[in-house]
Amino acid sequence: QNYALANTDYQRKFMNEKIKHSYQVWGAGNVLLKHEECFRDFDEEERKYYQAVVLLHDVARFREPLEKEKGNFIDHGVVGTQMLVQRKFFKDDADGLAIKHHGHLIEKLYEDSLYQQLSENKKKQVRELAFLVRDADKMANFYLLVSDFEIMRNIFFVPGRFENPFCKEPSNKVLNDFMAHKSINRADMNSLIDFTLMLLAWVFDLNYNHSFVLVKRWKIIERLLPFVSSFFKDGEDKFYQTELDKFINARLKKSSI
């Protein structure tokens, strides 16, 4: 429906990219559904439901370029959840939290009033679904970054969005959060080096063991760093790679949840 309303080449390209991304996230989600212990006992109906949640995680993305043309900003996770709730898509409205907060820092999920009202068992179920969406989304983006960086450079690495784009010193808050193995808040970024560390810090927000298996198997960090090395001071990319490798190897020795 939104695609039919697209009236510019940019809008159509944006939506085509989001269709491609949605299927890539769906594919990554299927891999996690197959390999993670918490999903092993799912029947076919439950598996298809989780697959559908993953596939539709960006459903409101298709409205973004149309709203942008009108000067409006929408939070695609929040709006997408509202759209799906209105269509009675979710078996339980609490499942919508997985889409609502997939683009936020994980603390937003835990602070959500609906989440806080849930039983401990339901909280665990919501976390499992939310982690599935978040991990699959990041793994799809990681894969696209290393397989077609030139396309992603034009989408992600836009100097005009930063106060001091070509500064090679990361902001203190960004660096401290990275070294603490925390996700980085977009509001704290002032430069392309900050943005690069934010992307690399997606690793710290992965939850499932097989997500880390894929990061290692696809050599995400080793393949990504050469593309972004120009944003670092000479040799600093190796420092960050060591820190990331240490974290990934430690997580591979632990269970997923």
Side-chain angles (χ1 to χ4, degrees):
Q1 185 179 11
N2 287 309
Y3 192 90
L5 295 173
N7 55 25
T8 69
D9 187 51
Y10 164 76
Q11 290 174 349
R12 285 186 286 271
K13 283 183 177 179
F14 181 91
M15 293 184 193
N16 282 330
E17 186 58 42
K18 288 306 166 187
I19 291 170
K20 179 180 176 182
H21 170 72
S22 295
Y23 279 112
Q24 289 174 329
V25 176
W26 179 75
N30 284 337
V31 173
L32 296 177
L33 282 165
K34 177 180 178 181
H35 286 90
E36 290 301 321
E37 185 68 32
C38 59
F39 305 124
R40 293 261 171 90
D41 295 331
F42 275 17
D43 59 27
E44 189 63 20
E45 180 182 350
E46 196 72 8
R47 189 172 300 277
K48 285 182 177 179
Y49 173 62
Y50 272 46
Q51 288 173 332
V53 174
V54 172
L55 181 63
L56 296 177
H57 77 288
D58 266 354
V59 65
R61 279 285 198 188
F62 300 94
R63 284 178 56 178
E64 277 190 334
L66 305 178
E67 294 295 332
K68 184 177 180 181
E69 189 175 47
K70 302 174 188 175
N72 300 329
F73 167 80
I74 64 170
D75 183 320
H76 71 280
V78 173
V79 173
T81 303
Q82 293 168 346
M83 292 167 60
L84 294 170
V85 167
Q86 288 169 2
R87 288 162 175 76
K88 302 187 185 306
F89 166 77
F90 298 109
K91 292 182 178 180
D92 183 323
D93 284 354
D95 293 345
L97 295 170
I99 290 179
K100 180 180 180 181
H101 295 298
H102 78 272
H104 302 158
L105 297 180
I106 193 63
E107 288 78 12
K108 285 286 188 180
L109 169 64
Y110 301 145
E111 293 166 1
D112 193 291
S113 59
L114 176 55
Y115 176 83
Q116 293 181 346
Q117 294 168 21
L118 302 175
S119 68
E120 289 306 313
N121 188 56
K122 184 59 181 179
K123 283 181 179 177
K124 182 175 183 294
Q125 180 187 330
V126 167
R127 288 197 304 274
E128 289 172 349
L129 180 54
F131 292 167
L132 176 67
V133 174
R134 295 171 74 87
D135 279 28
D137 191 25
K138 289 181 174 62
M139 293 310 302
N141 279 331
F142 268 142
Y143 187 79
L144 191 54
L145 275 166
V146 299
S147 62
D148 209 337
F149 185 77
E150 290 309 310
I151 287 178
M152 299 307 286
R153 179 195 294 274
N154 295 330
I155 296 173
F156 281 176
F157 294 86
V158 182
R161 69 170 67 168
F162 300 112
E163 187 178 308
N164 192 6
F166 301 109
C167 175
K168 293 198 174 184
E169 290 284 354
S171 304
N172 286 336
K173 181 68 166 60
V174 168
L175 180 59
N176 289 339
D177 283 347
F178 185 92
M179 296 307 297
H181 299 164
K182 294 171 60 178
S183 297
I184 291 167
N185 193 330
R186 289 175 181 267
D188 296 325
M189 299 186 304
N190 293 309
S191 62
L192 288 169
I193 179 63
D194 286 349
F195 183 76
T196 300
L197 291 179
M198 186 275 292
L199 294 183
L200 293 171
W202 282 348
V203 167
F204 306 141
D205 191 44
L206 296 176
N207 301 278
Y208 286 114
N209 181 71
H210 205 74
S211 298
F212 292 98
V213 170
L214 293 177
V215 167
K216 291 283 282 189
R217 182 178 299 165
W218 295 344
K219 298 183 178 180
I220 294 294
I221 304 305
E222 297 94 321
R223 293 168 66 188
L224 180 56
L225 280 171
F227 291 126
V228 297
S229 60
S230 62
F231 303 129
F232 294 99
K233 290 182 178 178
D234 288 347
E236 278 198 346
D237 53 331
K238 294 181 175 57
F239 168 79
Y240 293 111
Q241 179 170 351
T242 299
E243 196 65 27
L244 289 162
D245 285 344
K246 183 170 62 176
F247 180 83
I248 292 165
N249 290 333
R251 282 303 306 266
L252 281 169
K253 295 177 183 178
K254 298 180 180 179
S255 59
S256 54
I257 295 181

